[in-house]
Amino acid sequence: MCTALKFLNQTKNGHFTFCDNSKLFQITFNNLCFEFYEWELENFKSYIAALMKTKWDSLHKDTFRSKKVPISVGNKYFVILVSEEELFELDALLNLETKKIPMLHAKDINYRFIEN
């Protein structure tokens, strides 16, 4: 276990970490574990982004499997299948950009206040 481990992101089913000693990014998602160097991580992010743009329901609608999205891991004989929900969660896990939630002001709330 890397002692210089930094947690970068977390979702319901996964963790995204970085180890300063080995310079490896590690993605643990469900029962899968990926380890990437920075350039490999960028390629994987691009691959997941391309998968997000593909309509998998129409391509694999007649299959009996619930997991229809294939993730190739470099060997043509080994493909990981995930569901569309898992693909969205994996994309959220890789996305490190924090989206600011705008603060509401009192005037933004449509509420009629009645003092008793």
Side-chain angles (χ1 to χ4, degrees):
M1 181 76 179
C2 182
T3 56
L5 199 62
K6 295 179 186 175
F7 278 84
L8 302 175
N9 204 355
Q10 181 177 350
T11 61
K12 176 183 164 190
N13 296 313
H15 298 289
F16 184 26
T17 58
F18 176 71
C19 178
D20 262 338
N21 293 343
S22 64
K23 303 298 184 205
L24 278 174
F25 291 91
Q26 185 180 54
I27 298 167
T28 307
F29 185 74
N30 285 339
N31 61 342
L32 304 172
C33 182
F34 301 98
E35 288 187 343
F36 299 116
Y37 289 106
E38 188 174 358
W39 64 273
E40 294 170 320
L41 178 65
E42 293 305 319
N43 289 340
F44 187 68
K45 281 183 176 181
S46 300
Y47 181 71
I48 295 297
L51 283 176
M52 295 291 291
K53 295 176 184 173
T54 307
K55 298 290 182 194
W56 292 106
D57 287 340
S58 61
L59 292 175
H60 299 285
K61 66 180 177 184
D62 297 330
T63 185
F64 63 91
R65 296 180 191 97
S66 62
K67 299 184 178 201
K68 301 175 184 181
V69 181
I71 297 178
S72 176
V73 289
N75 188 334
K76 68 179 180 176
Y77 302 110
F78 187 70
V79 176
I80 297 169
L81 292 175
V82 296
S83 67
E84 193 172 5
E85 293 83 21
E86 290 173 327
L87 181 65
F88 287 127
E89 187 177 347
L90 187 57
D91 183 58
L93 188 64
L94 291 170
N95 189 1
L96 296 178
E97 298 170 3
T98 56
K99 295 179 177 125
K100 266 190 151 176
I101 299 172
M103 293 292 290
L104 288 177
H105 299 287
K107 65 181 179 178
D108 297 329
I109 301 171
N110 187 13
Y111 179 75
R112 196 172 123 207
F113 182 72
I114 302 171
E115 271 188 66
N116 286 339

